[in-house]
Amino acid sequence: MGLFGRRRTGAKPRELVSQTTLDNTFDRRTFVIGAGMGGIGMILASRMAYIAIAENERWVLESESNRVNLSLIPPRRGWILDRNGAPLASNRADFRVDVIPDRLADPEKTLGVLSNILDLSTNNLADISKRIEEARGFQPIEVATGLNYDQFAAISVRLPDLPGVVPQRGFSRFYPTGPSVGHLIGYVGPASAEEYEENPDPLLITPGYKIGKDALEAQFEEELQGEPGARRVEVTASGRIVRDLETREDRQGASVRLTIDGPLQDYAARRIGLESGSCVVMDCESGDILCMSSMPSFDPNSFSAGIGRVEYSMLREDERVPLRNKVLKGLYPPGSTVKPMHCMAFLDAGVKPDEAIMCGGGRRIGNRFFNCWSNHGRVDMAKAIYQSCDSYFYHFAQQIGFQKVAEWAHKMGLGEEFDLPVASQFYGTVPDPAWKQRKYDQAWQPYDTVNASIGQGYYLVNPLQLAVMSARLATGYKVMPHLRMDDRRPKFEHFDFSSDEIDYVRQAMSDVVNGPGTAGRARLPIEGIQMAGKTGTAQVVSLSVSDGRSGPWKYRDHGLFVFFAPFDKPKYAGAVVIEHGGGSGAAYPIARDVMTFLFDPVKGMEALRPLEEQWGGTASQRLEAKYRAYAAAAGEVVEPVPLRTEQIFDQVDAEARLAQRQSEELAQQQRSSRAEGSPSPSTPSGPSSMTEDQVE
């Protein structure tokens, strides 16, 4: 059998392919493919129907967002007003520019362009670069504020080439009197990353929006912040604005009206001059705080605009601590200013005003002799006040026990924290046996009573407490301080003293100023109005280090003065504390001029003008001149600003607490008060002659 004709054993028979077979196969495949395509079509149709119907609103909004840009308009903050309705913090129209870090394509190039347009200094660029590096990507960073129109327009036309740059017209916070209200009002600034994480409100990361960061700006944040507006604009694919579609205006925050007298606040700050200190004035009848000036200070306009490293470094290096609120966080031994209050404690314990001692230059307590600043001879209660005889207070404090005196110190406001809209206040120390045992695990000793009886030792108070004490001494009522005009004024509690006893102490305090006392230069130059007061000198270093009047500034004694006027029918009361002023002579001329301004503004300004000419201008002018000089000398090598400005004030508070501990350490060395009455040897306190003064 041939090769091709042989049938292989087991081979499968070949299938015959016909036209019918091919047609059937093609029809089946066409059906399957058609069914699949139909299914896919049904799925696509269903999806399109779902998108067009069920998700219509969503995709319309998405489409609209590609064409329309919606942005929030930061609300204008409410104004902070003084008692007469004048602004202490307001808003002003402003051109500004911010950058959003995560939208910057080339930060270095972008900042270079902005620097050329805005003429930014090297230090400013370094500050901005540092903030961009350390900020969260979504957090807007302020580049500049207060731009003129040409600068604003030059940036606006370059926006397509400057992604992440946000120029805008709006309002910025403005403080008309600058440093005069720095510690009182505080400042505003952009929300930190921590604040945004705690409250992820889109408004917090809107360029230009700022929140209260310190003092009253922070305390009244909810009332001041207002409601944002919104703006809809049509844009191209590249983001260029085609036209405005709709704008909803913002709603300005509510105004807050304070009890502060704006002109008096500014005058007191300016009158403190080159000194480091504070002045508080209250209305005795209502408890309204009229003035809370702490100087030197900072300009809140700088902080609100984003303080630069040069200005921050200048403030941090100043030994007079311009960043510390000395009214609420300055603690000082009260010195002799508490002697009238101690006399009220003596009266309550049964001591008669005419009970007298003989002062022979000091007093022997146990086996030790404690000096008085002078030999006063026979001393009754009135003479003890107006001549500030230490021996009298040594004697009667030992007789009634200092526990009784400490109780009255608290009743008069010392060592107390007041219900005010402030972030914090240091309440100091009124020492007594239980306090020392608790604090140091030591028993109270006779020398502790000696020191505390003349306002030294462990005694520490702040200027606001001294002002409250003065108001309570003047009226015989438990006057409570208020800082907001719409606060409820409860009826003040009357202390259990007769009018004769109150008048007796009031007259003795008048004799301090208007009689044979220690503050003759504090007399008011106003016919028919007399001021009463009490001087005080507080030791800051041991006698072996300094005499308290000369030498390095930080070794000089603090000067204090508490006062009220008119003395026969008190309307106003207050306190002045001058740090390292060399004695009370640095404090009471300031109180005299402040009270003169309150009763007669023209005479007050006549006293201030020649002093400011001597000092080199107003507080704002001197701060600006100091900044220019510091910037010229510092160059580029200055300390960078902390990322969060809150850290600045946290550090200041920590340093204040350290100073408090140092004062307590010194308390164990003190034995007698300093002489009072002469001004600082380096800074003239006023044009008056010193020949009228007497000293403790």
Side-chain angles (χ1 to χ4, degrees):
M1 190 172 182
L3 178 63
F4 296 101
R6 185 182 300 163
R7 183 182 298 270
R8 289 183 298 172
T9 304
K12 185 177 178 181
R14 178 181 298 174
E15 294 182 2
L16 297 176
V17 178
S18 65
Q19 183 63 40
T20 301
T21 303
L22 290 174
D23 289 342
N24 289 338
T25 301
F26 179 79
D27 290 343
R28 285 196 301 271
R29 291 177 180 177
T30 300
F31 177 78
V32 171
I33 294 173
M37 294 295 290
I40 293 173
M42 288 295 294
I43 293 173
L44 290 175
S46 300
R47 177 61 178 165
M48 290 176 65
Y50 177 77
I51 292 173
I53 299 172
E55 291 193 325
N56 177 69
E57 184 177 354
R58 173 191 169 188
W59 292 107
V60 166
L61 290 175
E62 288 284 346
S63 175
E64 184 73 1
S65 69
N66 290 330
R67 184 182 68 89
V68 176
N69 187 307
L70 177 66
S71 60
L72 291 174
I73 299 175
R76 292 160 292 165
R77 289 179 72 79
W79 288 18
I80 299 179
L81 308 173
D82 78 350
R83 65 188 298 107
N84 301 310
L88 298 173
S90 60
N91 306 313
R92 62 179 177 183
D94 184 31
F95 290 117
R96 54 177 290 117
V97 61
D98 299 277
V99 295
I100 300 177
D102 62 1
R103 298 183 189 173
L104 293 175
D106 187 342
E108 187 174 347
K109 179 182 177 182
T110 300
L111 289 182
V113 174
L114 295 177
S115 176
N116 291 333
I117 298 173
L118 303 176
D119 193 24
L120 299 176
S121 69
T122 303
N123 277 316
N124 285 341
L125 280 176
D127 289 335
I128 296 166
S129 297
K130 179 174 181 290
R131 291 200 292 267
I132 290 174
E133 291 174 3
E134 297 179 346
R136 305 295 173 88
F138 53 76
Q139 185 178 7
I141 302 299
E142 182 174 295
V143 174
T145 186
L147 279 62
N148 59 45
Y149 181 78
D150 290 340
Q151 292 173 320
F152 178 78
I155 294 174
S156 297
V157 298
R158 291 172 171 82
L159 286 184
D161 301 322
L162 296 174
V165 175
V166 185
Q168 57 185 337
R169 290 171 289 185
F171 293 87
S172 63
R173 204 59 162 165
F174 177 60
Y175 305 91
T177 54
S180 296
V181 297
H183 293 295
L184 171 68
I185 302 297
Y187 63 99
V188 297
S192 66
E194 292 84 354
E195 288 166 329
Y196 178 72
E197 289 173 355
E198 182 178 338
N199 176 27
D201 185 341
L203 183 61
L204 294 181
I205 56 174
T206 300
Y209 181 68
K210 295 181 178 180
I211 62 176
K213 289 289 190 175
D214 189 42
L216 299 183
E217 287 279 25
Q219 293 301 303
F220 295 129
E221 174 63 24
E222 290 187 7
E223 297 173 58
L224 294 171
Q225 64 184 356
E227 296 181 11
R231 181 189 182 205
R232 294 175 67 241
V233 293
E234 186 175 354
V235 296
T236 65
S238 63
R240 184 185 296 274
I241 295 176
V242 176
R243 61 190 174 107
D244 285 325
L245 296 177
E246 181 184 4
T247 299
R248 187 189 71 201
E249 296 296 333
D250 65 299
R251 182 176 297 177
Q252 184 170 353
S255 294
V256 172
R257 191 175 173 194
L258 306 179
T259 62
I260 295 294
D261 184 312
L264 182 67
Q265 172 78 18
D266 185 51
Y267 182 91
R270 291 167 60 182
R271 180 57 186 86
I272 292 172
L274 305 183
E275 302 283 8
S276 173
S278 56
C279 177
V280 182
V281 179
M282 293 177 58
D283 186 313
C284 294
E285 298 173 356
S286 64
D288 289 353
I289 299 175
L290 305 179
C291 161
M292 288 177 65
S293 296
S294 172
M295 297 298 286
S297 182
F298 59 91
D299 188 346
N301 292 300
S302 294
F303 271 80
S304 296
I307 188 168
R309 62 173 61 198
V310 174
E311 187 171 2
Y312 166 69
S313 183
M314 178 189 73
L315 295 172
R316 281 290 304 141
E317 292 178 8
D318 192 334
E319 66 178 350
R320 304 193 177 207
V321 200
L323 294 173
R324 182 184 302 165
N325 184 342
K326 297 174 178 64
V327 171
L328 299 175
K329 297 180 181 179
L331 293 176
Y332 316 92
S336 298
T337 60
V338 296
K339 288 178 178 177
M341 180 268 292
H342 287 184
C343 285
M344 302 298 280
F346 297 164
L347 288 170
D348 186 55
V351 176
K352 302 300 180 184
D354 57 358
E355 286 187 53
I357 66 160
M358 292 300 297
C359 172
R363 198 78 178 167
R364 182 168 294 279
I365 307 294
N367 61 355
R368 301 181 62 181
F369 188 82
F370 295 90
N371 292 321
C372 181
W373 69 271
S374 182
N375 188 330
H376 295 100
R378 184 182 183 278
V379 181
D380 61 9
M381 185 176 288
K383 186 175 181 180
I385 292 174
Y386 66 71
Q387 282 290 306
S388 203
C389 175
D390 295 337
S391 298
Y392 181 91
F393 294 93
Y394 296 159
H395 174 81
F396 284 106
Q398 294 286 345
Q399 178 175 304
I400 72 169
F402 200 76
Q403 181 64 45
K404 181 74 173 179
V405 178
E407 291 173 5
W408 270 101
H410 283 290
K411 290 180 182 180
M412 288 292 181
L414 304 187
E416 298 298 305
E417 190 171 6
F418 303 110
D419 184 18
L420 296 172
V422 296
S424 64
Q425 48 189 307
F426 292 179
Y427 49 84
T429 302
V430 175
D432 59 34
W435 173 86
K436 187 177 181 184
Q437 188 67 48
R438 184 172 61 252
K439 176 87 174 180
Y440 295 103
D441 195 23
Q442 296 176 4
W444 187 264
Q445 300 297 326
Y447 64 78
D448 290 319
T449 297
V450 168
N451 283 339
S453 71
I454 58 172
Q456 305 220 104
Y458 297 108
Y459 238 135
L460 287 174
V461 300
N462 67 40
L464 176 61
Q465 293 170 343
L466 289 175
V468 171
M469 178 192 74
S470 182
R472 294 180 180 181
L473 279 172
T475 62
Y477 285 88
K478 189 177 180 180
V479 179
M480 296 298 294
H482 299 281
L483 194 51
R484 187 168 181 175
M485 284 298 288
D486 56 3
D487 282 349
R488 189 176 66 88
R489 307 293 196 277
K491 186 176 181 180
F492 297 143
E493 171 190 349
H494 190 274
F495 294 121
D496 190 19
F497 288 108
S498 68
S499 59
D500 289 342
E501 290 172 324
I502 294 171
D503 289 344
Y504 183 90
V505 173
R506 191 186 291 166
Q507 179 63 55
M509 293 181 70
S510 175
D511 288 341
V512 171
V513 177
N514 307 297
T518 58
R521 282 201 303 138
R523 295 170 190 161
L524 297 181
I526 301 175
E527 187 70 27
I529 299 178
Q530 292 185 330
M531 178 171 69
K534 183 68 190 79
T535 55
T537 297
Q539 181 181 345
V540 297
V541 295
S542 65
L543 296 171
S544 61
V545 174
S546 171
D547 64 2
R549 295 181 178 276
S550 59
W553 177 80
K554 65 180 180 179
Y555 292 159
R556 298 176 195 170
D557 296 338
H558 300 317
L560 306 92
F561 188 66
V562 297
F563 55 90
F564 56 84
F567 98 91
D568 52 345
K569 191 176 180 182
K571 171 62 176 173
Y572 305 111
V576 172
V577 177
I578 300 300
E579 295 179 334
H580 309 292
S584 61
Y588 53 75
I590 295 174
R592 173 201 63 206
D593 290 348
V594 168
M595 294 303 286
T596 298
F597 178 83
L598 191 53
F599 287 108
D600 189 336
V602 174
K603 282 189 176 181
M605 291 306 300
E606 288 175 353
L608 179 61
R609 287 192 189 99
L611 294 175
E612 288 192 326
E613 291 177 3
Q614 177 184 345
W615 296 331
T618 66
S620 296
Q621 291 168 341
R622 294 197 307 273
L623 183 61
E624 183 179 350
K626 182 177 180 180
Y627 171 75
R628 289 197 303 267
Y630 185 91
E636 299 180 15
V637 186
V638 290
E639 182 179 355
V641 184
L643 179 60
R644 295 170 57 248
T645 53
E646 294 91 336
Q647 295 174 0
I648 298 174
F649 293 94
D650 289 344
Q651 185 174 356
V652 171
D653 286 355
E655 292 168 353
R657 292 187 177 92
L658 178 61
Q660 177 181 355
R661 290 198 295 270
Q662 292 172 340
S663 182
E664 290 178 354
E665 293 172 1
L666 177 65
Q668 302 179 33
Q669 307 172 27
Q670 290 179 249
R671 293 295 182 271
S672 62
S673 67
R674 302 283 209 184
E676 297 177 15
S678 61
S680 165
S682 63
T683 306
S685 297
S688 303
S689 169
M690 286 177 50
T691 58
E692 299 176 27
D693 295 333
Q694 300 187 35
V695 296
E696 281 192 20

